[in-house]
Amino acid sequence: MQVSKSILIQRALLGVFWVLGTVGFVCDEFVPGLESLRSYILLACDAVLVLIGLMTLRHKADFLFVGSLLLIALTSSLLLNKLPITMTVNGIRVFFGVMFCYPIFRYFWDEPNRRDRFIKAFDKNLEVFLWLQVPCILYQFIVYTAGDHGGGSLGNWYSGTISMMIYLISFYLIRKRINPRHFISSILTNYKYVLLLTPTFLNETKISFVLLVLYFILLVPIGKRMFARALIVVPVMSLLFGVGYMTYKMTYTGEVSKTADGLDIFSEEYLMEYMFMDVERAEEDATWNMENNENGLADIPRATKFLLLPMFEENEPGHIPMGFGVGHFKGGTKLSHSELYDQYEWYLIGTIPYFIHVYLQLGLVGILWYIVFLVSIFVRHPEGLSKRDLNMQLFLVILIGINFFYIESMRDPVFCIVLYGLVAGSWLPDDAGAKKILSPT
């Protein structure tokens, strides 16, 4: 029997999702020999994603966004910064997720039957992925204790990304099962999605506390009875927050009373130490940490990295408009690091907020491109789907904002597949057909 083009594309996309979503854990824990092939596996997934993206490009706006980002990257890298072609091509890969994921979902959303079939398969795969994080993170916690190793099926150093994905997927799946007229009974019936948030308290991701509050606030349907419903979920949120707080303290220090520094994680002193460090001594301290820490990370606080951004213009003037070109956040395996990376490794190593990730490579032009693109996907809706799941879209917008100023998950295609899939899923049919899309699959 002949398989349709859309089914082949659906299977290929979900295949890429599962390979990207599990290869890290498999290489780290079960088949270390695959580590030498990991970069080739990731390259193959990028190639398939690009191929699917090119096959599904249909809308003028999508052509415009893909073409303009490619033009900006090539101009900045090849013309202005004279970077090698191999480095430029390799560097463009970190933008494949944002370039091609949303157009792929627009392709499925363009035709009702194609959309319905894809949503059923997508939802089932997301739920299996959510359940998979329980044994993966529990295993990592037992072996390594809490920390950056708790990246679930994504593997080491993905603790922040997997926590965001868990909250995104859980929120999406439970939102589809909430009946506003029977709000409490809907949550009780689908309590498993709330319980599946538990692994996020075993990997030391502080952002989970923010996401937990947002999760319950935006879970409440917007309407006349919103305040009354909110009063009902507050005790549940408070209980989970308390359990998460004690779990975090116990896993992080072995004590409920204090952190390793003797500070409460919600104290002003701890938060200041977590976000800031002495700018004048940042390079010296970071270099010392790289040389003496077991993981080799510089561990510069995120807020301090923003304060240090003017350093690049002072030392290398003229890069504010278009950045330093792409590829500085790649390399180190098959290709060597760039000269910029070698010079500023103490700054670039570790977690980089996505704003800095884009700004250093593509400058203010790149930041402006992202703002226009992100606004567009929350404004231009698929044909016949103009109703918003406002709660879902607010959650997505806030999470994107967190990415820009806290973490760089949006550079990872596996995260982009979930993120932009849920953006597309937040647009609902104009008529009664919305009930069909919102119903559990």
Side-chain angles (χ1 to χ4, degrees):
M1 184 176 67
Q2 186 176 7
V3 180
S4 68
K5 173 185 173 181
S6 63
I7 293 178
L8 287 175
I9 292 174
Q10 175 180 305
R11 291 174 180 174
L13 179 63
L14 293 176
V16 168
F17 170 74
W18 278 109
V19 172
L20 292 175
T22 58
V23 67
F25 187 83
V26 172
C27 288
D28 292 339
E29 309 300 338
F30 297 119
V31 192
L34 274 179
E35 187 61 37
S36 60
L37 300 176
R38 188 171 178 175
S39 60
Y40 295 109
I41 294 172
L42 298 180
L43 179 61
C45 287
D46 286 345
V48 173
L49 188 64
V50 172
L51 178 61
I52 297 172
L54 294 175
M55 291 174 62
T56 54
L57 277 175
R58 292 289 185 277
H59 301 274
K60 292 181 180 179
D62 294 329
F63 277 105
L64 178 62
F65 280 116
V66 171
S68 58
L69 182 57
L70 187 61
L71 180 62
I72 293 169
L74 293 177
T75 301
S76 175
S77 303
L78 299 179
L79 296 183
L80 299 180
N81 290 288
K82 312 298 182 183
L83 299 180
I85 294 179
T86 52
M87 178 180 169
T88 300
V89 173
N90 194 42
I92 290 175
R93 289 172 53 197
V94 299
F95 298 102
F96 282 168
V98 70
M99 291 171 69
F100 295 108
C101 281
Y102 194 67
I104 293 172
F105 289 108
R106 283 293 300 268
Y107 164 79
F108 287 109
W109 263 244
D110 281 343
E111 201 278 317
N113 291 331
R114 187 190 302 160
R115 180 182 69 240
D116 291 353
R117 182 180 63 244
F118 180 82
I119 287 177
K120 289 179 181 178
F122 192 52
D123 288 6
K124 289 178 181 177
N125 280 266
L126 290 181
E127 181 157 352
V128 173
F129 183 81
L130 196 60
W131 279 103
L132 180 61
Q133 305 319 309
V134 176
C136 287
I137 294 180
L138 183 59
Y139 172 87
Q140 291 161 335
F141 172 71
I142 293 172
V143 175
Y144 306 107
T145 71
D148 291 332
H149 284 284
S153 63
L154 301 184
N156 293 337
W157 317 117
Y158 283 91
S159 58
T161 298
I162 198 61
S163 291
M164 284 194 165
M165 291 178 70
I166 288 172
Y167 274 92
L168 268 177
I169 295 170
S170 173
F171 187 82
Y172 166 74
L173 293 175
I174 198 171
R175 273 287 301 165
K176 299 184 78 169
R177 291 156 173 81
I178 293 292
N179 185 336
R181 296 182 179 180
H182 304 284
F183 178 65
I184 298 302
S185 61
S186 297
I187 293 180
L188 293 176
T189 302
N190 297 283
Y191 69 92
K192 63 181 180 180
Y193 297 110
V194 177
L195 291 181
L196 285 170
L197 301 176
T198 306
T200 63
F201 297 111
L202 298 178
N203 63 5
E204 198 204 331
T205 48
K206 302 170 187 69
I207 197 64
S208 294
F209 291 102
V210 177
L211 297 176
L212 179 65
V213 174
L214 289 172
Y215 183 98
F216 279 99
I217 290 176
L218 293 175
L219 195 60
V220 180
I222 297 175
K224 296 180 180 179
R225 300 175 61 188
M226 182 177 181
F227 182 72
R229 291 165 177 158
L231 290 177
I232 297 173
V233 302
V234 165
V236 180
M237 179 184 71
S238 301
L239 176 62
L240 285 175
F241 194 92
V243 171
Y245 174 69
M246 288 187 291
T247 303
Y248 175 86
K249 295 290 288 293
M250 287 293 290
T251 56
Y252 186 55
T253 68
E255 303 179 39
V256 177
S257 59
K258 61 184 180 180
T259 66
D261 298 324
L263 302 175
D264 187 277
I265 63 170
F266 294 111
S267 67
E268 181 180 355
E269 186 177 357
Y270 178 81
L271 292 174
M272 290 298 292
E273 287 188 7
Y274 178 66
M275 294 300 295
F276 296 94
M277 70 185 300
D278 186 349
V279 175
E280 297 297 328
R281 296 183 54 189
E283 181 176 359
E284 178 184 348
D285 290 350
T287 302
W288 186 92
N289 286 329
M290 289 169 57
E291 294 173 350
N292 292 276
N293 287 349
E294 182 179 351
N295 57 21
L297 294 181
D299 200 26
I300 298 178
R302 294 163 176 83
T304 303
K305 287 191 174 182
F306 277 100
L307 294 176
L308 286 168
L309 266 184
M311 162 189 68
F312 289 93
E313 181 61 19
E314 293 172 4
N315 297 341
E316 310 282 343
H319 293 276
I320 290 179
M322 296 287 287
F324 290 88
V326 299
H328 304 294
F329 294 90
K330 299 286 287 185
T333 51
K334 303 303 178 184
L335 297 176
S336 59
H337 285 299
S338 67
E339 293 181 7
L340 183 76
Y341 184 93
D342 290 336
Q343 182 179 353
Y344 295 100
E345 182 180 9
W346 59 271
Y347 178 96
L348 299 176
I349 198 170
T351 301
I352 294 283
Y354 197 60
F355 179 95
I356 297 176
H357 179 87
V358 177
Y359 173 77
L360 287 180
Q361 295 186 93
L362 303 178
L364 292 180
V365 173
I367 295 294
L368 179 61
W369 182 95
Y370 261 88
I371 292 173
V372 174
F373 169 75
L374 292 170
V375 169
S376 77
I377 64 177
F378 288 103
V379 173
R380 56 187 180 102
H381 58 81
E383 185 176 352
L385 295 95
S386 61
K387 288 186 177 181
R388 302 173 184 271
D389 181 342
L390 187 58
N391 293 65
M392 189 73 226
Q393 291 197 352
L394 285 173
F395 192 78
L396 289 164
V397 168
I398 295 171
L399 192 135
I400 288 172
I402 290 173
N403 260 271
F404 261 76
F405 296 99
Y406 183 80
I407 199 170
E408 54 185 338
S409 301
M410 290 172 65
R411 65 173 286 181
D412 296 312
V414 66
F415 182 84
C416 289
I417 289 173
V418 173
L419 176 67
Y420 295 116
L422 301 195
V423 172
S426 70
W427 290 106
L428 308 176
D430 303 331
D431 50 27
K435 295 181 180 179
K436 179 179 179 183
I437 301 299
L438 279 171
S439 62
T441 56

